[in-house]
């Protein structure tokens, strides 16, 4: 079974390898853990943390991943250059993020079908890539297919229940459907995630970043409810 797990890891089939491990099969658990951590940072678009993982876990990643290619891929992701992304699109470890970035580029270019294809290709390589799922939901929402958008956002939250953008966009979709109760529920979830720690802040890219806030736990909770009340008032006024 050791060889089977290694083969799964080389193919980027981490979830199947994890299942083998949970069933008691012997294998490269250190390599699996390192690859799962790297995938988490890529899904979260936290490229600096991914870069740190490459260096910290290099000895565990080398059997499966060309570290030089991975470093160059991170530069391409940050640059959002479609030409620079091409070498990594079908890489079993880097391709899902490469296609996600490509999809965002296509959205900005106004190429909706190209974006949809890119996000779907991302999910072929990593079905749990919640940013790609959320972006597909955004395409459905913009096309007026609200029910389909709701399904995509809920699918994204199955992959990551703490992804605030999916909660926010799901709240928007439910508001369009007239489901104010569900809209408020997801707005509250979004706010709880953002204010769970005074040090957590959501930037325009959706990445958690350090904040200089010195607000205490009580102040954060107070701000949370002020924000929720303001959002509810806004929803009811529309």
């Amino acid at each position: 079974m050791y060889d089977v797990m290694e083969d799964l890891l080389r193919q980027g089939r981490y979830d199947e390898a994890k299942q083998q491990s949970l069933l008691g099969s012997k294998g490269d658990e250190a390599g699996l853990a390192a690859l799962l951590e790297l995938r988490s940072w890529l899904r979260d678009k936290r490229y600096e943390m991914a870069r740190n993982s490459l260096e910290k876990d290099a000895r565990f990643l080398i059997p499966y991943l060309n570290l030089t290619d991975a470093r160059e891929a991170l530069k391409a992701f940050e640059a959002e250059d479609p030409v620079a992304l091409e070498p990594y699109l079908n890489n079993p470890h880097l391709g899902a993020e490469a296609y996600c970035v490509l999809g965002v580029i296509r959205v900005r270019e106004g190429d909706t079908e190209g974006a949809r294809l890119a996000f779907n290709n991302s999910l072929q390589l990593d079905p749990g890539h919640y940013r790609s799922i959320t972006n597909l939901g955004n395409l459905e929402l913009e096309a007026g297919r609200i029910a389909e958008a709701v399904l995509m956002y809920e699918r994204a939250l199955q992959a990551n229940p703490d992804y605030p953008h999916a909660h926010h966009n799901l709240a928007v979709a439910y508001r369009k459907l007239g489901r104010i109760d569900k809209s408020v529920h997801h707005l509250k979830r979004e706010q709880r995630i953002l204010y769970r720690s005074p040090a957590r802040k959501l930037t325009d890219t959706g990445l958690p970043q350090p904040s200089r806030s010195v607000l205490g736990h009580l102040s954060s909770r107070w701000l949370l409810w002020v924000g929720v009340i303001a959002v509810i008032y806004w929803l009811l006024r529309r």
Side-chain angles (χ1 to χ4, degrees):
M1 278 298 184
Y2 183 86
D3 291 339
V4 170
M5 185 180 290
E6 281 193 342
D7 189 49
L8 289 172
L9 292 178
R10 289 192 187 94
Q11 295 177 53
R13 295 159 62 185
Y14 310 149
D15 294 323
E16 293 176 55
K18 183 178 179 180
Q19 188 63 27
Q20 291 281 343
S21 178
L22 292 173
L23 291 173
S25 301
K26 299 297 182 181
D28 186 4
E29 294 186 356
L32 171 61
L35 288 165
L36 286 172
E37 181 179 340
L38 178 63
R39 184 178 73 175
S40 293
W41 295 133
L42 293 175
R43 284 178 173 180
D44 237 11
K45 201 180 177 181
R46 300 182 67 178
Y47 300 141
E48 193 55 40
M49 297 302 294
R51 196 171 277 113
N52 292 341
S53 286
L54 290 177
E55 306 311 319
K56 172 176 65 74
D57 296 328
R59 66 187 183 280
F60 304 122
L61 294 169
I62 283 174
Y64 312 105
L65 181 65
N66 184 308
L67 298 188
T68 300
D69 284 350
R71 295 185 189 103
E72 292 303 311
L74 290 173
K75 293 178 184 177
F77 300 160
E78 290 168 331
E80 296 188 348
D81 178 354
V83 175
L85 291 172
E86 285 183 9
Y88 312 107
L89 290 176
N90 295 311
N91 185 291
H93 312 288
L94 307 168
E97 181 62 18
Y99 271 118
C100 183
V101 175
L102 181 61
V104 172
I105 294 170
R106 297 294 180 243
V107 168
R108 291 175 182 166
E109 294 173 343
D111 181 4
T112 301
E113 289 310 309
R116 189 183 301 278
L117 178 62
F119 294 135
N120 278 317
N121 284 337
S122 173
L123 296 179
Q124 286 292 319
L125 293 167
D126 177 10
H129 198 297
Y130 50 85
R131 283 182 21 252
S132 287
I133 300 170
T134 300
N135 283 321
L136 283 171
N138 295 343
L139 293 177
E140 298 292 356
L141 192 65
E142 290 172 9
R145 294 187 287 269
I146 313 303
E148 290 83 351
V150 166
L151 290 176
M152 296 307 297
Y153 295 141
E154 289 178 341
R155 178 180 165 189
L157 290 173
Q158 288 176 354
N160 181 5
D162 288 336
Y163 186 44
H165 280 347
H167 282 293
H168 178 85
N169 295 352
L170 187 53
V172 172
Y174 274 128
R175 178 178 60 79
K176 290 180 179 291
L177 291 174
R179 295 299 307 275
I180 302 301
D181 55 337
K182 285 186 171 290
S183 181
V184 170
H185 168 75
H186 285 285
L187 285 170
K188 287 181 179 179
R189 286 291 305 275
E190 178 201 18
Q191 293 298 310
R192 288 193 185 104
I193 293 165
L194 297 181
Y195 287 100
R196 183 174 295 160
S197 165
R200 185 180 177 92
K201 179 180 179 183
L202 193 73
T203 68
D204 290 340
T205 59
L207 306 184
Q209 296 290 341
S211 169
R212 291 180 295 178
S213 171
V214 293
L215 295 173
H217 179 66
L218 182 61
S219 298
S220 295
R221 287 180 62 84
W222 182 80
L223 285 174
L224 165 62
W225 287 109
V226 169
V228 169
I229 291 168
V231 169
I232 294 172
Y233 176 78
W234 173 75
L235 284 168
L236 294 176
R237 292 275 295 176
R238 292 179 67 84

